[in-house]
Amino acid sequence: MSRWQFLPISFGIVLALTAGVNAADSAEDFGIPQVATINEKIRLGWEDYGISPSPEEIDTVWARRLFLDVLGRVPSVDELNEFQRDRSKEKKKNLVDKLLYDEQYTEEYARNWTTIWTNVLIGRNGGTDNNSQISRPGMQKYLRDSFARNKPYDQMVKELVTATGANTPGMPNFNGAVNFYMDKLEEDGVQATAKTAQIFLGMQVQCTQCHNHPFNEWKQEKFWNMNAFFRQTRAQRGQMPEGGNDNMRAMTLNNVDFMGEGRNINNAEIYYELRNGLLKVAYPEFLDGQKIPTSGRVSEVNRRDELAKFIVDSESLPEAIANRYWGHFLGYGFTKPVDDMGPHNRPTHPELITYLGEQVRGNSFNLKDLIRWIALSEAYGLSSKITKANALDDPTVGEPPKFSHFYLRQMQAEQLYESLLVATEAHKTRGNYEDQEKKKSEWMQQFVTAFGTDEGDEATTFNGTIPQALMMFNGDLVMDAVSTKPGSFIHRMAAEGRDGKEAINHLYMATVARRPTRNELQAANYLIGVHKGDMAKAMQDVFWALLNSNEFILNH
């Protein structure tokens, strides 16, 4: 039985995926020590559990996987053909390096990781509400500039934690990094405390503001000691630049003197309440016990500057980013969730996460290096086909991931949008960045649901609900994609006079990065007969079916 369960498709077309072949006896490390170590430690895990890995994925499907994870879209047919023309043993390394370092992909790399990190830092809804304190364009501009220059991650963290200035492009003293904290300072900065620890240190501490955590080492005292670092920070109204967004508030983030809740600026303390009603005092103190002077005067001690130094020096920072990026590329991190690390949540591969943290710091927090190591690892290159030898490696039933096969996962909604544009070649006539983001944001509203929890959870994937399925079947974007009107993708292909086999091959490569099977070609030829040789109509049916198949929607 096929590993694919497909959505209903027209005229009974059945889509199938060929399994990966040519499993190597030993993993290729491309002469990169970090890749060799990753492979070694993952293989040790397989030996411990007595399982064997799936075969290596076919090259074009692996390339599709890489484009989705690095650039946030499927590859074009031309890009796949170029990759296939590379006959060298290092063709995978060459493609990884091209996507990371070739100037032609710099803008797309920055766009994709800006999208990812904007969602991490302010959420998919951040800056979209009326009268929001967050400038989403401001956050995106800061991140886009940072990723385009491949700014070291520790520098980014320092800039985000210490940011001051105006939130909106065009304002005097604009600094897009301030948008990270712009909506997190209410209620004495509780959200600023929780999100800083969660995102940068991989520690979920939000519930300890009221009581000691029953399952980990985080205590209420630690939460409020951390919270004290944010008490000099104020979000204040600013002047909206001419032509600004009426739905957004112009804001500035400033450091101001903090008198302390005891009204003694020289010893600016804060108070928190225990469950028994008693009050306790807290001063700025980092998780490992490092303290700073208790003065509330910014001229004497800038608390967020000191916090940034502690975070950057912490061993948790590089391990947290290694865990987050591993989860991005492999579907699961070494902990579940990736931002809840600590003795209470033992990682699946403790030696490997420690090693990757050391390598991240030793390589100056270069995120492209980290991506390169993960993308060239054996685990990332495995087929998603499950075998008898690794059938028990199934994290969906609560088993710890062993990475013996690639875990199927749905595209993120942003990936689906960008991939639809590339598959239909609509990306060739796109407008400027601002226009692109506006159109994508409007389309994204169909996918994003805010649950309204304390953590601001959101539903973000195409998860097969009936409204989403109907949107894919009949939505404007898909209908435009399969249109046969003059100038459309289908019309252009039909006008080129390609024969049936060549045209169908192109559609399959554009969507699922492989050629059709014999049965699929026969089904397509049947459609050509049904439409009495009208290639445009036949291609329309095949393309619609492919775009609505799980094989297109899934990252495999």
Side-chain angles (χ1 to χ4, degrees), residues 368-421:
K368 287 188 175 182
D369 282 347
L370 178 59
I371 291 172
R372 190 171 185 249
W373 304 334
I374 297 173
L376 290 173
S377 68
E378 180 182 18
Y380 187 73
L382 296 176
S383 169
S384 55
K385 182 179 181 181
I386 300 172
T387 68
K388 289 183 179 179
N390 60 22
L392 296 180
D393 182 6
D394 185 1
T396 64
V397 298
E399 284 293 313
K402 304 164 187 71
F403 310 107
S404 63
H405 59 89
F406 190 80
Y407 302 120
L408 294 173
R409 60 182 183 270
Q410 295 159 342
M411 286 189 196
Q412 293 293 315
E414 295 93 344
Q415 292 175 324
L416 182 58
Y417 178 85
E418 298 290 345
S419 295
L420 283 167
L421 294 184

Side-chain angles (χ1 to χ4, degrees), residues 85-381:
R85 285 193 293 269
D86 186 345
R87 301 295 183 183
S88 70
K89 291 183 178 180
E90 295 199 330
K91 64 184 298 185
K92 287 188 174 181
K93 175 176 173 290
N94 294 339
L95 182 60
V96 170
D97 289 347
K98 185 172 186 177
L99 298 193
L100 292 177
Y101 302 112
D102 194 308
E103 287 186 1
Q104 78 178 89
Y105 291 109
T106 298
E107 182 177 338
E108 284 196 274
Y109 172 86
R111 171 194 52 74
N112 182 45
W113 290 96
T114 292
T115 296
I116 292 168
W117 277 96
T118 298
N119 293 340
V120 169
L121 295 172
I122 63 174
R124 281 177 171 82
N125 284 322
T128 62
D129 297 334
N130 287 339
N131 208 26
S132 173
Q133 295 183 22
I134 298 173
S135 166
R136 194 172 189 87
M139 186 83 263
Q140 291 174 325
K141 184 176 187 339
Y142 166 77
L143 291 170
R144 191 166 70 253
D145 291 346
S146 298
F147 286 112
R149 298 200 305 269
N150 194 30
K151 184 180 294 180
Y153 179 64
D154 59 336
Q155 183 181 340
M156 280 181 55
V157 172
K158 181 179 179 181
E159 291 173 356
L160 288 164
V161 173
T162 64
T164 59
N167 69 337
T168 305
M171 291 178 64
N173 197 29
F174 165 68
N175 179 5
V178 301
N179 287 287
F180 171 51
Y181 283 133
M182 197 55 72
D183 69 335
K184 299 179 176 66
L185 296 173
E186 296 178 0
E187 299 180 349
D188 295 325
V190 164
Q191 279 295 305
T193 308
K195 289 300 182 182
T196 298
Q198 180 180 349
I199 294 170
F200 303 130
L201 299 172
M203 299 178 181
Q204 294 202 14
V205 303
Q206 56 270 18
C207 67
T208 61
Q209 61 178 295
C210 301
H211 55 82
N212 292 334
H213 198 292
F215 303 118
N216 68 31
E217 75 282 8
W218 265 88
K219 305 302 179 186
Q220 191 179 9
E221 179 184 15
K222 284 182 176 291
F223 181 93
W224 291 105
N225 286 342
M226 182 88 162
N227 173 266
F229 284 100
F230 298 98
R231 294 305 184 95
Q232 292 173 326
T233 309
R234 294 287 182 274
Q236 299 170 324
R237 287 272 192 170
Q239 182 65 42
M240 178 64 71
E242 186 175 346
N245 186 344
D246 292 337
N247 294 331
M248 183 182 64
R249 279 191 278 174
M251 303 292 294
T252 63
L253 199 68
N254 303 300
N255 291 322
V256 299
D257 289 344
F258 174 54
M259 282 295 298
E261 294 178 350
R263 311 306 293 171
N264 181 355
I265 196 170
N266 296 313
N267 193 33
E269 59 194 24
I270 63 174
Y271 307 121
Y272 65 96
E273 186 176 352
L274 301 178
R275 300 188 82 171
N276 60 11
L278 295 177
L279 293 181
K280 289 200 69 174
V281 175
Y283 298 103
E285 179 180 320
F286 195 56
L287 311 179
D288 57 7
Q290 295 186 79
K291 301 177 181 180
I292 62 172
T294 59
S295 171
R297 293 186 177 88
V298 176
S299 60
E300 294 181 2
V301 56
N302 184 314
R303 293 187 174 188
R304 278 195 294 144
D305 283 356
E306 297 301 319
L307 175 61
K309 294 175 186 177
F310 291 147
I311 291 175
V312 167
D313 289 341
S314 169
E315 67 178 23
S316 296
L317 178 70
E319 291 186 9
I321 192 61
N323 197 29
R324 182 180 294 278
Y325 270 47
W326 184 271
H328 172 81
F329 282 88
L330 276 299
Y332 290 88
F334 300 117
T335 63
K336 184 179 180 179
V338 294
D339 52 14
D340 188 16
M341 299 165 59
H344 65 289
N345 193 15
R346 181 174 170 79
T348 58
H349 298 72
E351 292 183 1
L352 180 52
I353 193 172
T354 298
Y355 171 80
L356 287 175
E358 293 169 350
Q359 292 302 306
V360 166
R361 186 177 295 280
N363 285 268
S364 303
F365 287 88
N366 187 329
L367 292 179
K368 287 188 175 182
D369 282 347
L370 178 59
I371 291 172
R372 190 171 185 249
W373 304 334
I374 297 173
L376 290 173
S377 68
E378 180 182 18
Y380 187 73

